[in-house]
């Protein structure tokens, strides 16, 4: 290869421009300021669409946080001992009937109190 020939110079220019394009593509992808041909940086202009998307993203993140909080509460309810309350009630229904006196309650309906 001829180190001083025009093909070598063109190859170096092509490689440097390719690296510059890849560098700017990576910077743009990650939201950094872009670099121009002379090494200066140009700030990205936030358009109305970008602002709308950021607001929508913030709103959706807030909803997601709220849903995660609700999910935690529901998991606590399901795994809590109180969730088995219905099962305990059903188990009590299956037990034989005892008299009301044994339970400590008076169910004598003939001796109702009257209002004065």
């Amino acid at each position: 290869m001829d180190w001083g020939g025009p093909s070598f110079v063109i190859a170096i220019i092509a490689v440097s421009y390719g690296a510059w394009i890849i560098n700017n593509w990576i910077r743009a992808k990650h939201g950094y300021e872009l670099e121009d041909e002379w090494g200066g940086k140009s700030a990205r202009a936030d358009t109305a669409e970008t602002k709308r998307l950021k607001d929508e993203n913030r709103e959706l993140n807030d909803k997601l946080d709220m849903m995660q909080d609700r999910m935690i509460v529901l998991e606590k309810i399901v795994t809590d001992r109180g969730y088995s309350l219905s099962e305990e009630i059903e188990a009590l229904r299956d037990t034989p009937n005892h008299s009301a006196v044994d339970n400590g309650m008076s169910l004598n309906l003939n001796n109702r109190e009257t209002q004065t």
Side-chain angles (χ1 to χ4, degrees):
M1 176 173 197
D2 184 18
W3 297 106
S7 61
F8 182 72
V9 173
I10 291 173
I12 294 224
I13 292 171
V15 168
S16 62
Y17 269 114
W20 175 74
I21 289 172
I22 292 171
N23 180 31
N24 278 340
W25 176 72
I26 291 172
R27 293 178 68 82
K29 181 179 176 185
H30 295 288
Y32 293 105
E33 294 177 344
L34 299 180
E35 189 176 303
D36 60 13
E37 296 93 12
W38 300 282
K41 304 231 176 176
S42 59
R44 294 177 49 168
D46 281 342
T47 62
E49 179 72 13
T50 305
K51 290 179 183 178
R52 186 188 66 78
L53 289 173
K54 284 181 181 180
D55 291 340
E56 182 180 356
N57 191 20
R58 188 176 303 113
E59 180 181 328
L60 290 174
N61 281 333
D62 291 343
K63 281 184 181 179
L64 181 63
D65 290 341
M66 184 178 67
M67 290 297 179
Q68 285 176 340
D69 292 342
R70 291 181 73 185
M71 183 66 73
I72 290 171
V73 170
L74 288 174
E75 286 174 351
K76 285 181 182 177
I77 290 171
V78 169
T79 59
D80 191 18
R81 173 118 172 95
Y83 184 70
S84 64
L85 181 62
S86 64
E87 294 172 359
E88 292 175 10
I89 290 172
E90 291 299 321
L92 289 174
R93 287 184 183 165
D94 295 337
T95 59
N97 288 336
H98 296 290
S99 68
V101 177
D102 291 339
N103 290 334
M105 293 186 274
S106 174
L107 294 178
N108 189 357
L109 299 176
N110 295 330
N111 294 331
R112 293 187 194 172
E113 292 183 349
T114 58
Q115 294 180 352
T116 56

